[in-house]
Amino acid sequence: MSKSLSLEKKTAPESIKLEKDRVHELVPGRKVLPSWYRWELLVILFLAYFFHQSDRAIYGVVAHSIQDEFQISDNVLYATRTVMFTLMALVVPLAGYVGDRFNKRNLLIGCLFCWSVATICTGAVSGVVGMIVFNSIGVSVAEAFYGPAATSLIAAYHKETRSIALSVHQTAVYLSVIFCGGIAGLISHHFGWRATFYAFGGVSILIGIILLFRLKDPAKVQLSDGSVIETPAAQEKPSVIEFLHMIFGNRSALLLTVGFTAIVFVNNAYLNIVSKFLQEKFGLSEASAGWNGMFWHHVAAFGFIYVGGLLSDKIARRYPTFRPKQQFLAMAIGAPVVACIGVAQSLTAVYALFFLMGVCRGFYECNTHASVFETVPVKYRSTTVGFMIMFAFIIGAWSAQLVGLLKDRFGVEDGYRYGFMMLGAAWVIGAICVGIAAFGTFAKDRQKRIDAEANAA
């Protein structure tokens, strides 16, 4: 422990010096943008991610209406989510690789328009097959290309403010599902579930038009304050073999990927089952279940991801291992909270547990990518995010369907009780792996990254 702390104190100033040596030089031939463009970029991508998540979350809110119209079991209903996330897991490594090698601006704009059209087409399907084609396949393939490129781009513009910038971007998830839970439920109640897909897909197209005019190619611009936009040199196009050698030699990145997988596993189940859980166990209406299921959890995550992001940005400047340590504590405390949701007998207790789960999620997710980026060179960031999402979605794809199977087998009361116990256990596994990284491997892997980038420079 003392050795790790000593290494941490020693390497932090070296990292800061390396960063300072690379700033305050304007590059001839590049368009100069005001320094606040880094925040405009964040706002633009926040809007894109907001509807990225809304278009995906609609299904969980209107799932009961879809089930009634198509007359399908819970197993079949959530099997479409398994297809979606499994396919996304298979596509996203390619998306991450493409994001490191090709123009991120064009990639982000293209995938946004594609998932918007697929969302609109979902509203016109006549059965489960159509739902799988447009929503499970169409939306997932297009959305897979967003995450790696967007997070890498934000990290490139934000160094000292990286945790808070990525936290702001992440809050789009929370606000979108709160908004989606309330608005989609109302639209479905008054106009039918198909109208929700038409409405959200149409607005997403408008966001794509904004990106078309305001999203700039980072290779062609620079900021007026002289700070460097962290993009790899033209010759730094990593091969698949190079990336695999880096990632499988990086124990911290692998352990943090397991933690991220546990988060995704639980988040995927929560997003897709919580509305039905409230309707079936407590008799709430579709609109009320959609709103309460999304609001209490995500408003807490929204608030505390900022608290966690500001805290970790401040402390990590002196003690970089604070980021994964904060994640470890969040998961360890949150695991019993998740498990208790299934046995709560009153709405007040359920909403309180939703809120506490959101607090823990916020403290974890403010460092989801900031932590792993401490151990990964710049040129591998997009591919690393793709690798993490692939692994997480291969496992997380099954969570909602597993809960559905438990409910079909044991009924509403016991099925949901066993389901939330399973989700709590996932966080326990994640906490163990993140803890091993935080207290064991992180400082050394971070130093390897600093040395590698210093040698390259």
Side-chain angles (χ1 to χ4, degrees):
M1 179 70 177
S2 60
K3 183 178 179 181
S4 174
L5 185 60
S6 175
L7 179 62
E8 191 173 332
K9 288 181 177 179
K10 178 182 177 182
T11 59
E14 295 175 8
S15 178
I16 294 171
K17 183 178 183 301
L18 179 61
E19 295 289 341
K20 287 183 176 179
D21 289 343
R22 295 164 59 189
V23 301
H24 306 307
E25 294 183 7
L26 293 178
V27 180
R30 289 192 178 188
K31 182 178 179 179
V32 179
L33 298 176
S35 59
W36 49 258
Y37 177 76
R38 60 167 60 92
W39 298 106
E40 179 185 346
L41 169 86
L42 183 59
V43 171
I44 293 169
L45 293 180
F46 178 95
L47 290 173
Y49 200 34
F50 182 96
F51 284 95
H52 173 290
Q53 292 296 309
S54 293
D55 291 349
R56 186 191 299 174
I58 294 170
Y59 189 90
V61 176
V62 301
H64 204 279
S65 296
I66 294 173
Q67 185 177 34
D68 287 345
E69 179 172 331
F70 294 158
Q71 292 295 299
I72 53 179
S73 67
D74 278 47
N75 184 31
V76 175
L77 179 71
Y78 294 125
T80 64
R81 303 302 87 191
T82 302
V83 173
M84 167 181 271
F85 287 104
T86 301
L87 185 60
M88 189 176 291
L90 295 175
V91 173
V92 80
L94 173 63
Y97 184 69
V98 169
D100 274 331
R101 295 182 64 88
F102 297 99
N103 189 295
K104 292 180 175 63
R105 174 189 179 273
N106 296 339
L107 184 64
L108 290 170
I109 293 171
C111 70
L112 195 155
F113 279 111
C114 287
W115 87 58
S116 301
V117 172
T119 299
I120 293 173
C121 291
T122 301
V125 302
S126 58
V128 175
V129 173
M131 187 68 67
I132 291 174
V133 170
F134 290 109
N135 193 257
S136 300
I137 298 177
V139 171
S140 66
V141 170
E143 288 186 352
F145 284 85
Y146 176 85
T151 53
S152 178
L153 196 59
I154 293 170
Y157 277 88
H158 293 267
K159 292 182 282 292
E160 293 296 321
T161 55
R162 184 164 293 159
S163 270
I164 193 62
L166 290 170
S167 295
V168 170
H169 185 249
Q170 179 64 23
T171 58
V173 177
Y174 313 144
L175 290 181
S176 69
V177 294
I178 292 172
F179 177 81
C180 181
I183 301 301
L186 288 173
I187 293 174
S188 177
H189 178 73
H190 291 289
F191 304 103
W193 65 267
R194 297 176 185 277
T196 61
F197 290 97
Y198 298 144
F200 280 84
V203 176
S204 295
I205 288 179
L206 297 179
I207 302 303
I209 294 173
I210 295 176
L211 262 69
L212 192 62
F213 288 98
R214 293 304 305 162
L215 191 61
K216 307 300 181 182
D217 183 352
K220 298 179 180 179
V221 301
Q222 58 190 318
L223 301 181
S224 59
D225 62 2
S227 59
V228 172
I229 303 172
E230 289 186 338
T231 52
Q235 68 273 18
E236 291 187 321
K237 302 296 184 181
S239 69
V240 174
I241 299 300
E242 288 175 342
F243 169 75
L244 292 176
H245 182 268
M246 183 281 299
I247 198 69
F248 285 105
N250 188 332
R251 292 172 295 173
S252 297
L254 295 175
L255 290 165
L256 291 170
T257 296
V258 177
F260 177 62
T261 300
I263 288 288
V264 170
F265 186 86
V266 175
N267 291 351
N268 177 40
Y270 185 94
L271 189 65
N272 286 287
I273 71 168
V274 71
S275 180
K276 276 186 96 263
F277 166 69
L278 292 174
Q279 291 175 66
E280 293 176 342
K281 185 169 181 176
F282 297 99
L284 271 60
S285 68
E286 186 173 63
S288 179
W291 169 256
N292 287 292
M294 300 303 166
F295 176 78
W296 299 106
H297 172 75
H298 291 96
V299 74
F302 174 81
F304 283 90
I305 196 173
Y306 286 112
V307 175
L310 290 169
L311 182 68
S312 61
D313 270 341
K314 182 177 181 179
I315 298 178
R317 291 171 189 171
R318 184 169 178 81
Y319 300 108
T321 61
F322 180 77
R323 297 188 193 277
K325 287 174 182 175
Q326 179 176 304
Q327 292 178 294
F328 162 73
L329 288 173
M331 294 190 82
I333 295 170
V337 173
V338 175
C340 286
I341 293 174
V343 298
Q345 295 301 313
S346 71
L347 281 173
T348 301
V350 167
Y351 295 158
L353 291 167
F354 286 172
F355 188 90
L356 291 174
M357 178 185 170
V359 171
C360 296
R361 179 179 174 182
F363 271 107
Y364 181 94
E365 290 189 339
C366 66
N367 283 307
T368 295
H369 296 107
S371 287
V372 76
F373 285 171
E374 288 285 344
T375 70
V376 173
V378 174
K379 64 179 180 178
Y380 297 119
R381 283 179 181 165
S382 184
T383 310
T384 298
V385 174
F387 173 83
M388 292 177 69
I389 295 175
M390 175 198 69
F391 191 86
F393 280 18
I394 285 176
I395 306 299
W398 297 90
S399 60
Q401 188 174 2
L402 287 173
V403 176
L405 284 169
L406 289 170
K407 204 215 92 175
D408 286 343
R409 173 67 177 83
F410 297 103
V412 171
E413 191 71 28
D414 288 340
Y416 283 122
R417 176 161 60 92
Y418 295 143
F420 280 102
M421 286 176 61
M422 174 188 68
L423 300 179
W427 271 25
V428 170
I429 295 170
I432 292 171
C433 291
V434 174
I436 293 172
F439 295 96
T441 64
F442 189 85
K444 291 181 180 179
D445 286 331
R446 179 178 180 275
Q447 183 61 44
K448 284 172 59 179
R449 188 270 301 173
I450 293 172
D451 293 342
E453 291 189 337
N455 291 333

